[in-house]
Amino acid sequence: MRKEQLENLSKGTRPLLHASTPNWETLKGLVDRAADSLSDAKKTANSSPTRFAAAYSSAFWLARVALEACGYRLAGSEGHRVAVFQVLANTLEWEAPRWRQLDDLHKLRNRFDYGDVVEVSEQQLVSAIAGAQDLLDDVRRTFPQIKT
């Protein structure tokens, strides 16, 4: 964890983060929910839009778990859904290509939910599921207090 960078994001008049004591039971519940959602994303009997939404939700919850396990929570400011993926550089020390994959997933989700994308390709779906799985594996490995 890169504590100094996270601390910097909790300063100023409109901080992105607030310091917060982790609630390990709540975080375990979020990991369980994310794992269930990821399982739904992998079920080919579900529609592609359902699978994509499930993969995105799983990744978002897991990124939030990583942040909260490090002692911070989102301040609820505009852009918080983007920020939760970008701070993976500090919470799990992910290199840019890894967290950018999830940042791109977020952008695609916005276009899918609010914009001009009406279908998600099989490759985009596979990438979303792989990103969420990668995040689940790292969260479980990095934060043993969350083991379920």
Side-chain angles (χ1 to χ4, degrees):
M1 169 182 43
R2 296 181 179 133
K3 182 82 170 166
E4 185 176 326
Q5 287 87 345
L6 292 170
E7 183 63 28
N8 286 338
L9 295 172
S10 70
K11 295 178 181 176
T13 57
R14 292 185 51 149
L16 184 63
L17 306 176
H18 291 301
S20 178
T21 302
N23 179 323
W24 297 108
E25 287 306 310
T26 298
L27 297 180
K28 284 178 189 176
L30 283 173
V31 170
D32 288 344
R33 184 191 317 170
D36 288 347
S37 189
L38 183 56
S39 177
D40 289 342
K42 293 176 180 179
K43 292 178 183 168
T44 57
N46 290 331
S47 69
S48 291
T50 296
R51 294 174 67 205
F52 178 76
Y56 174 81
S57 294
S58 178
F60 177 78
W61 293 325
L62 291 164
R64 192 180 133 203
V65 165
L67 178 63
E68 292 184 24
C70 288
Y72 293 89
R73 64 177 174 78
L74 294 167
S77 60
E78 187 175 320
H80 72 281
R81 283 191 169 262
V82 172
V84 78
F85 294 122
Q86 293 173 351
V87 297
L88 288 170
N90 301 314
T91 58
L92 295 175
E93 298 186 22
W94 275 20
E95 297 297 324
R98 290 180 80 194
W99 67 258
R100 281 193 180 125
Q101 176 191 4
L102 296 176
D103 188 49
D104 289 345
L105 173 63
H106 170 73
K107 291 172 188 169
L108 177 61
R109 176 257 184 189
N110 278 353
R111 290 184 63 206
F112 186 72
D113 283 355
Y114 308 116
D116 58 340
V117 173
V118 294
E119 284 191 35
V120 177
S121 73
E122 184 64 24
Q123 179 54 42
Q124 290 167 321
L125 183 55
V126 167
S127 179
I129 292 169
Q133 183 66 59
D134 193 24
L135 189 50
L136 177 61
D137 294 343
D138 267 11
V139 163
R140 285 181 168 160
R141 184 175 29 257
T142 304
F143 305 105
Q145 308 90 320
I146 296 173
K147 295 258 189 231
T148 56

